[in-house]
Amino acid sequence: MMNRRRAILGGLGLAGVAGLGAWGLGQWGLHREIVSVLHRRLSFLKLDDEGVRAFAKDQTAAAFNKKIPSVARLRYHFLSTGAPSSKRFYRSSDQRSRVARLEDTLISNYLLSSDFFSNGADESRTIKYVAYYDPMRGCQNPFARPAVDPRATA
Amino acid sequence: MPSHYDVIIVGTGFASSFFLMRYLERVPQSSRILVLERGNEDTKAWQLANQKHTSIDPEDLVYNDNPGKEWYTSPGFGGNSKCWMGGTTRMMPGDFKLKSRYGVGMDWPISYDDLEAHYGVVEQVMLVSGPADSPMPRSRPVPLMPHRFSDPDALLKKHFPDGWYQMSTARASVATGKRGICCASGICALCPVDAKFTIQNGLAEIYRDPRVTLRLRAEAQTVETAAGVARAVNYLHEKKQSRDTADLIVLGASALFNPHILLRSGFTHPLIGRRLHEQMSVYVTVDLKGVKCYNGSTVLSGLGYLFYEGDHRADRAACMIETWSSPFAYKLDGALRMERGRWNERMIMGFLFDDIPSEANRVTVSSSNPSVANVHFEDFSEYAKKAADRIPQMIDKLAEALPIERLVSTSAGTTAAHIQGTVVMGDDPATSVVDRYLVHHEYRNLLVLGASSYPTASPAYPTLTVSALSLWAADHLLGGTST
């Protein structure tokens, strides 16, 4: 009886260690991939290496911090997978691959998190990471202009 | 021990709140009003801290048997005012007369003129921002100055002066004293600066009126009737079964839960729950040559009416176009253009088409759990799809004003977040559940408010009409006019 319990606990312990290992490996892999994508796709810009790594760390944390979906949401996703195509309205003509779109979103996130747009999108300057882009902080859209143009009333 | 009230109102969203606002203006101080709200009062601070607009998962209340079609809703105090984006377009006159003007769908039993004054009142209460000119007739100006166009909007306005307008919206363009100014963050459901009108920041005081008893966590289950009169509401409050009576019963629980409550109550009209519909939405991304985008002052900065009214409505749906002015808005991924010097030369537009409701699309009561609404949606009408098929021709027309380089993508939305139909209004009791004043045809002291009464969709956002209809219904009930 005791041996069996030990075996089960041992198995659970090993699974836990393996899970933690996979978790860590996943984070490390994602971090590395983000750094690689940014350097590859933005090779024509000067990137601050330390800032890129800091962004990759924050982006990885954001990806891993996503809340665990509720049972209802999981059920929804499960059903959605098997839904007949005639009942799925979300069809896209986007020619980019899913990976390319993910990369585009990642790069957008990086640039919006940097001083790039606040410096007038000057491509000759070294881009510095400022803080992870979070629209929840309010008024982070670098392109938006106020309804009342201050120059018009000056 | 049951209590008796002058009125019991179910729900605290737009429909219920605008009705209550007008009701309190007209009834004596001795009146007693009970309001039942299924959810909690999730304050703005709570929403921001928890990064969600409701403490109830809507999917725990609704079973959707078509995962390809979502229904976006926000249970709790303030209802969908918590999660809406703040679009406040009026319907066009032709939307009310689809059958008589174009020979399709059905007419509403009321006209644009019937609602015009009420639209104006709602715009004032919500402090709507909008253009000085307007594609539809109006008797009073929009309260707040318009939001700023994005650069492509300005080009479209210049080329199509009668076809392109600044957004009509309850996202404030200037300081209002209560709300922040919209800065196009693109996360309206949790607006971090509280720029949009909500029941919580705009009408919460009516629920603090001494005549009103607000009961949160109170799930209205059934409306009890006898001898042609609605008598009582049975509800579950804090897990205890309750029953209260009233002279007037008002349902304002959304187009998902108004029919759900009526069906649970044993109402048998064959149209209850049927004709569930909303607009068909398609998102289009185009690249522009030399025109910078996302630089309006609000998340949706322009509205196109070029393909809205006209004889084409006899054949295919009307279309309203909205311009997105935020690089990060909901599912719009990859909004920046990955080319040197051209990062924001990319434009995203939403095309919204009206739909001819089908009786096959419906809400029913779950047999396994009567607290849950089953939603069954088969498809949009061919009328809507036929119009959506013409998007390439519409883009060609827009290209007269915009230097469009290429069409990047089109994708159909899974929801327009506008739930309509299910307790349809009309003059004929055989083909409608409530009359033109939203009074039940058979039970004359029962009102069913909200977008559930819509006989047909319109490309316009529904909230302003929902709110105006509540004032219209209240004025009829109590006498007086909108001021």
Side-chain angles (χ1 to χ4, degrees), chain A residues 90-109:
Chain A
Y90 188 80
R91 298 189 192 93
S92 175
S93 66
D94 200 328
Q95 297 300 306
R96 293 173 296 175
S97 69
R98 187 177 281 260
V99 170
R101 268 186 293 163
L102 269 173
E103 286 186 3
D104 286 0
T105 302
L106 176 75
I107 296 163
S108 300
N109 227 350

Side-chain angles (χ1 to χ4, degrees), chain B residues 13-301:
Chain B
F14 290 109
S16 299
S17 297
F18 275 88
F19 179 87
L20 178 60
M21 180 192 85
R22 178 53 48 88
Y23 189 84
L24 291 172
E25 290 167 7
R26 302 278 169 79
V27 297
Q29 289 300 316
S30 58
S31 295
R32 296 183 70 221
I33 301 140
L34 174 66
V35 180
L36 303 175
E37 167 52 57
R38 186 172 191 169
N40 300 301
E41 185 169 6
D42 301 321
T43 63
K44 186 71 190 176
W46 182 94
Q47 293 174 44
L48 292 175
N50 290 278
Q51 305 233 341
K52 56 184 180 181
H53 47 77
T54 173
S55 52
I56 296 179
D57 187 342
E59 289 167 15
D60 288 339
L61 309 184
V62 177
Y63 178 72
N64 175 15
D65 72 2
N66 181 351
K69 180 77 190 77
E70 290 185 276
W71 303 94
Y72 189 58
T73 184
S74 182
F77 180 72
N80 290 345
S81 78
K82 299 196 298 298
C83 69
W84 79 316
M85 289 190 66
T88 53
T89 48
R90 296 178 175 201
M91 283 170 58
M92 292 288 274
D95 291 328
F96 294 88
K97 302 293 170 197
L98 213 50
K99 184 73 177 177
S100 49
R101 279 198 191 179
Y102 306 111
V104 294
M106 65 200 72
D107 284 352
W108 286 44
I110 58 174
S111 68
Y112 177 84
D113 291 341
D114 289 326
L115 285 190
E116 204 282 328
H118 303 289
Y119 276 140
V121 173
V122 177
E123 287 169 343
Q124 192 63 46
V125 173
M126 291 185 176
L127 291 175
V128 162
S129 158
D133 54 354
S134 168
M136 69 284 289
R138 42 184 316 129
S139 59
R140 62 161 83 182
V142 182
L144 300 190
M145 61 173 280
H147 271 287
R148 186 175 183 147
F149 270 148
S150 64
D151 286 357
D153 283 319
L155 289 173
L156 286 158
K157 180 67 177 175
K158 191 175 174 189
H159 195 84
F160 304 113
D162 298 324
W164 211 265
Y165 298 87
Q166 278 115 344
M167 178 57 65
S168 178
T169 176
R171 300 185 296 273
S173 58
V174 293
T176 64
K178 282 185 176 177
R179 287 148 47 193
I181 301 172
C182 178
C183 52
S185 293
I187 46 167
C188 300
L190 279 172
C191 180
V193 296
D194 209 16
K196 65 176 181 181
F197 171 88
T198 64
I199 299 304
Q200 288 171 323
N201 68 23
L203 277 178
E205 71 274 12
I206 62 176
Y207 292 95
R208 291 193 282 270
D209 188 290
R211 291 167 288 182
V212 176
T213 301
L214 171 62
R215 207 154 279 169
L216 298 169
R217 295 171 294 281
E219 178 198 341
Q221 295 171 313
T222 57
V223 175
E224 207 175 289
T225 57
V229 177
R231 303 276 186 193
V233 177
N234 294 298
Y235 60 99
L236 200 62
H237 181 225
E238 308 276 18
K239 299 181 179 171
K240 279 171 61 181
Q241 198 64 49
S242 301
R243 174 183 180 273
D244 287 315
T245 57
D247 298 330
L248 175 70
I249 292 172
V250 179
L251 299 184
S254 88
L256 294 180
F257 290 102
N258 281 345
H260 181 252
I261 293 167
L262 293 176
L263 290 168
R264 284 184 83 179
S265 307
F267 284 59
T268 55
H269 194 291
L271 280 179
I272 294 176
R274 293 188 181 267
R275 297 190 192 161
L276 172 70
H277 65 277
E278 66 170 1
Q279 294 93 344
M280 183 174 181
S281 56
V282 180
Y283 296 95
V284 175
T285 304
V286 293
D287 282 346
L288 303 182
K289 186 175 183 182
V291 178
K292 305 297 181 192
C293 303
Y294 312 127
N295 51 9
S297 61
T298 188
V299 61
L300 294 161
S301 51

Side-chain angles (χ1 to χ4, degrees), chain B residues 412-460:
Chain B
T414 52
T415 177
H418 304 146
I419 310 169
Q420 302 163 175
T422 68
V423 189
V424 175
M425 70 159 115
D427 290 331
D428 182 357
T431 56
S432 59
V433 183
V434 294
D435 69 12
R436 60 174 56 204
Y437 300 108
L438 311 186
V439 179
H440 193 276
H441 279 302
E442 187 179 348
Y443 301 98
R444 302 301 292 167
N445 68 332
L446 172 63
L447 268 70
V448 189
L449 305 177
S452 59
S453 65
Y454 279 29
T456 54
S458 145

